[in-house]
Every structure is written in structure tokens, then in C-alpha cells.
Amino acid sequence: MVVNRIMKYGKKSLAYQILYRAVKKIQQKTETNPLLVLRQAIRRVTPNIGVKTRRNKKGSTRKVPIEIGSKQGRALAIRWLLEASQKRPGRNMAFKLSSELVDAAKGSGGAIRKKEATHRMAEANRALAHFR
């Protein structure tokens, strides 16, 4: 799932290279099992609740909080991790991805901020929950 999200223009072998290099860098940085770091990063970034835009009869739009399932949450988490790693300054994608995954596993980084912003938005619009 991670490789298919990294892949651009159908170049799957390049996506595998990026992931393997990132895993190797995580191994060097943390000296722990990099798959555990990857799993923990995805688990930390996975959102429980999100917002969906709904339009009412008068034409105005509202952001209604909705619960997110585990599969959709995992997909969102992977997407957010990759977006945050692409925005990072750095040498190459493998380096940026490894840095983002380590930060997310520790509880910081761009993907964690995205999750917190989504949760804040859902919490602010809690009064609209009955519009589901």
C-alpha cells in the first residue's frame, strides 16, 4: 500500500528503491526495527474522525464530523505521511520519508499536525454532527 502511494508514472521499481532506502536510513538513525517504526508512525497518524462537506437546502455548506473506518484511516495516514515528507526540505525522497516516519513515530512532524488539525476541525463542528 505504501509503495503504490509512493509510485509515480507507473515506476514501481523506483518506488520500491525509495522505500528500501528509507527503511535503511531509519535502521541507521534509530537502531531499531524499521518496520516497527513504520507501523507506529502509521498508527500515530491514523485519524479517528474527519469532516465531510454537506450542503443544506438553502445552498450553504457545512463541515460535518464523521467517523473514519480503519481502512480509510490507514489510507489517509499513508497519504498524509507521504505529502508531509514531500514538503520537507532535504536531499532525496528516501531521506525525507525516513525523517518524516521517525518524527511521526515520536509524535511530531507534518503528518501529525495534519491529523491534529483535522481533529480540531471535527471538534469545532461537533454541533453539526446530526446532519450526517
Side-chain angles (χ1 to χ4, degrees):
M1 201 164 163
V2 177
V3 172
N4 287 339
R5 280 283 168 195
I6 294 173
M7 182 173 58
K8 288 195 174 168
Y9 309 114
K11 298 190 175 186
K12 197 169 223 174
S13 60
L14 182 62
Y16 270 111
Q17 284 179 359
I18 290 169
L19 185 64
Y20 289 151
R21 286 180 188 150
V23 164
K24 193 179 279 188
K25 284 206 183 347
I26 291 170
Q27 174 77 42
Q28 292 168 355
K29 284 181 189 176
T30 62
E31 293 160 1
T32 59
N33 187 353
L35 295 179
L36 291 176
V37 173
L38 176 66
R39 201 174 288 138
Q40 188 175 13
I42 291 173
R43 197 175 299 125
R44 283 245 170 110
V45 177
T46 302
N48 305 327
I49 194 165
V51 289
K52 197 167 196 174
T53 306
R54 296 274 191 222
R55 180 164 289 152
N56 67 358
K57 292 177 184 173
K58 296 178 183 175
S60 65
T61 57
R62 298 181 168 138
K63 292 194 185 265
V64 178
I66 55 162
E67 271 187 53
I68 294 177
S70 63
K71 270 191 168 181
Q72 186 183 2
R74 203 174 313 120
L76 273 173
I78 291 169
R79 193 178 317 147
W80 290 348
L81 281 165
L82 292 173
E83 284 175 8
S85 60
Q86 285 172 351
K87 290 179 184 173
R88 273 179 176 261
R91 293 188 288 268
N92 54 18
M93 186 57 189
F95 179 77
K96 296 191 281 189
L97 180 61
S98 65
S99 301
E100 184 63 35
L101 288 173
V102 170
D103 284 352
K106 290 179 182 173
S108 61
I112 295 286
R113 283 197 297 273
K114 176 83 169 173
K115 175 191 172 185
E116 289 169 354
T118 304
H119 276 255
R120 273 196 306 272
M121 178 84 74
E123 194 65 32
N125 292 327
R126 185 198 276 178
L128 303 174
H130 65 281
F131 285 113
R132 288 182 200 178

